[in-house]
């Protein structure tokens, strides 16, 4: 069964460093998302991406964040200069189409630890 | 601010018990309500996508109901098994773009 994959499973970085989190969505899906969950808090939306552009982003998704679909299979989230408060589990999700009954399929997450 | 609340936050039951939990969401601008099952270190697994008021969905021993007018959904597990132990998340979907707003989850522990 097709699944969303994410690498790495755990990333440790120093404050101020750049990180790139990688996702491979399900191959025939057209809508892509990033969410994150800070420990003890709710899963929160970061950004949605469709047709090679951002379709919606949250207040969290400031200039330090960017997303890219560089080669038609990968979907990446870049954090330019990490802060301690960026420590969280980051989830990628994909959806086949905009139909109301379509599920979002989630990857297993990347745990980002900023020291 | 759109807010989704789940209760209880955690639940400990014995094998064979039936259980249910609640998801409350805004009753306006409703598009869909999603239920996910999430085991530690695994991907959240989609259980149901519910779209119509009065919807009832079932998958094995798990079922869900939806009331969009009053803004709540119930998830039921009949005859809980240890393998049902997981966090159950609901997510409110209010526009075509697909942004999901999550509740805090209900952590279920089923003891043999």
């Amino acid at each position: 069964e097709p699944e969303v994959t994410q690498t790495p499973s755990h990333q440790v970085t120093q404050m101020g460093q750049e990180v790139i989190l990688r996702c491979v969505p399900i191959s025939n899906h057209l809508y892509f998302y990033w969410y994150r969950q800070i420990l003890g808090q709710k899963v929160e939306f970061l950004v949605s991406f469709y047709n090679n552009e951002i379709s919606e982003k949250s207040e969290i998704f400031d200039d330090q964040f960017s997303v890219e679909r560089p080669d038609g299979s990968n979907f990446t989230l870049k954090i330019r200069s990490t802060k301690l408060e960026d420590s969280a589990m980051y989830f990628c999700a994909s959806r086949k189409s905009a139909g109301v009954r379509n599920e979002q399929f989630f990857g297993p997450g990347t745990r980002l630890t900023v020291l | 601010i759109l807010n989704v609340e789940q209760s209880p936050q955690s639940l400990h039951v014995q094998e064979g018990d039936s259980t249910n939990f609640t998801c409350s969401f805004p009753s306006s601008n409703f598009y869909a309500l999603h239920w996910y099952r999430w085991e530690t270190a695994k991907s959240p697994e989609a259980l149901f996508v519910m779209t119509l008021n009065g919807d009832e969905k079932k998958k094995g021993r798990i079922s869900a109901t939806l009331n969009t007018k009053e803004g709540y959904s119930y998830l039921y597990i009949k005859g809980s098994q240890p393998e049902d132990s997981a966090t159950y998340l609901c997510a409110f979907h209010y526009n075509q773009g697909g942004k999901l707003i999550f509740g805090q989850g209900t952590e279920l522990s089923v003891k043999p």
Side-chain angles (χ1 to χ4, degrees), chain B residues 57-96:
Chain B
K57 301 263 185 176
K58 190 174 180 183
K59 185 184 283 191
R61 294 178 292 97
I62 304 177
S63 60
T65 60
L66 180 69
N67 183 324
T68 60
K69 292 183 180 178
E70 295 181 40
Y72 64 83
S73 176
Y74 294 137
L75 189 81
Y76 301 92
I77 302 179
K78 185 177 177 182
S80 303
Q81 300 296 308
E83 58 264 32
D84 295 328
S85 297
T87 296
Y88 291 83
L89 295 167
C90 72
F92 175 65
H93 180 181
Y94 71 96
N95 64 25
Q96 194 174 9

Side-chain angles (χ1 to χ4, degrees), chain A residues 42-59:
Chain A
K42 295 179 180 180
V43 175
E44 51 189 354
F45 168 82
L46 293 177
V47 66
S48 58
F49 191 85
Y50 169 71
N51 201 26
N52 278 322
E53 60 183 25
I54 290 173
S55 44
E56 189 174 1
K57 60 183 180 179
S58 71
E59 292 175 354

